[in-house]
Amino acid sequence: MTSFYFEHQKIFLSVDCIIFGFDANKLKVLIGKRQMDPGRGEWSLYGGFVRNDESLDDAADRTLYELTGMRNVYMRQVGAFGSVDRDPGERVVSVAYYALINVKDYSKKLLTLHGVEWVDLDELPQLYSDHNEMIRKARKLMQQKIKTEPISFQLLPPLFTLTQLQRLYEVVNGEEVDKRNFRKRVKEMDFIEKTELIDKKSSRRGASLYRFNKKIYDKDSNFKL
């Protein structure tokens, strides 16, 4: 490190990870009790400070990996949060990222190890500092992206029913969609493939299982749902 800028005040820089999952027809977020002061014991997102040898994206990737053990996860930056009094400990600016994972891919051992749990997005408690605001902004970004990019398939299992897909769109956007019109649009998309497999858990008759074909999508990316 050099001795430049020594006359200026130093500010801490951190990242916070908003990890979304979809389970039991609910949109969920991963939170836990804060294990450090200030705010020890308060509900919080999982985050950490940016190291001297890291970019913001690298710090977010590391933080996400520490919590989930996963690589190559869909993750996007939400924005910077820098209110002067946002952290009672020090002057801290945090850059939030949101990630989308399949909850079934997340080890229960890691849940216990890190003391985190999946909580319904609509039933969140008051979180530490401005973490509730981070989540609200992340959801707005998801609502924009889900209409123009196939990010929903990051949250679904490899095989899914159209009911699951529809319900996911509804919980992300916070409103119901017309079943007939929704399925008509889905069936017009070549990259959402119907398989010969049947899900017999969802109904007595069973429901057809579908899958997302990324190769076909990459050839025809005019996605709008």
Side-chain angles (χ1 to χ4, degrees):
M1 300 297 289
T2 68
S3 60
F4 298 116
Y5 312 126
F6 64 88
E7 72 274 21
H8 296 288
Q9 176 188 346
K10 302 301 187 291
I11 294 177
F12 290 91
L13 180 63
S14 68
V15 293
D16 283 295
C17 290
I18 305 157
I19 303 173
F20 290 113
F22 179 68
D23 190 37
N25 289 330
K26 298 284 187 178
L27 189 62
K28 298 177 182 288
V29 66
L30 203 57
I31 61 173
K33 293 294 183 70
R34 190 171 165 88
Q35 299 178 12
M36 61 184 294
D37 294 319
R40 186 183 298 271
E42 294 183 30
W43 287 105
S44 172
L45 294 170
Y46 191 85
F49 290 101
V50 179
R51 297 171 180 171
N52 287 336
D53 60 348
E54 290 181 321
S55 68
L56 282 171
D57 289 352
D58 288 342
D61 285 338
R62 172 181 55 79
T63 301
L64 182 69
Y65 179 74
E66 289 174 354
L67 181 60
T68 67
M70 297 180 187
R71 299 286 192 189
N72 301 317
V73 172
Y74 179 93
M75 184 163 57
R76 295 292 184 272
Q77 190 179 116
V78 177
F81 295 77
S83 296
V84 174
D85 58 352
R86 66 172 300 275
D87 192 304
E90 292 285 353
R91 180 78 169 92
V92 180
V93 173
S94 183
V95 178
Y97 286 77
Y98 79 92
L100 309 179
I101 68 173
N102 181 353
V103 298
K104 304 300 183 185
D105 293 336
Y106 188 58
S107 168
K108 291 184 178 179
K109 290 183 180 180
L110 289 175
L111 283 173
T112 303
L113 177 65
H114 294 291
V116 293
E117 58 186 85
W118 290 107
V119 177
D120 290 354
L121 190 60
D122 294 330
E123 298 177 3
L124 281 177
Q126 181 60 45
L127 304 180
Y128 177 76
S129 185
D130 48 12
H131 291 186
N132 290 86
E133 179 62 20
M134 290 180 179
I135 294 173
R136 282 192 289 270
K137 289 191 175 182
R139 186 178 188 179
K140 287 183 179 179
L141 290 176
M142 284 180 61
Q143 290 172 343
Q144 296 169 6
K145 289 284 187 182
I146 203 169
K147 296 175 182 177
T148 58
E149 296 181 19
I151 65 171
S152 56
F153 305 108
Q154 306 289 338
L155 295 163
L156 291 169
L159 296 174
F160 53 86
T161 66
L162 292 186
T163 298
Q164 286 177 302
L165 181 60
Q166 178 182 334
R167 181 57 183 158
L168 175 57
Y169 274 81
E170 290 175 336
V171 296
V172 168
N173 292 304
E175 59 185 16
E176 294 184 1
V177 299
D178 181 79
K179 179 178 178 179
R180 181 177 297 178
N181 289 335
F182 182 85
R183 297 198 172 201
K184 181 181 178 181
R185 292 199 299 272
V186 167
K187 290 179 179 180
E188 292 173 350
M189 299 174 181
D190 293 338
F191 52 83
I192 301 179
E193 297 179 332
K194 184 178 181 180
T195 73
E196 297 179 355
L197 301 174
I198 300 295
D199 174 24
K200 296 182 180 180
K201 296 180 180 179
S202 59
S203 66
R204 291 181 180 179
R205 295 178 56 189
S208 296
L209 288 168
Y210 291 73
R211 63 186 168 209
F212 170 63
N213 189 317
K214 187 176 185 302
K215 290 183 178 179
I216 294 178
Y217 171 77
D218 289 339
K219 293 179 180 179
D220 179 17
S221 58
N222 296 319
F223 176 86
K224 188 173 183 180
L225 187 57

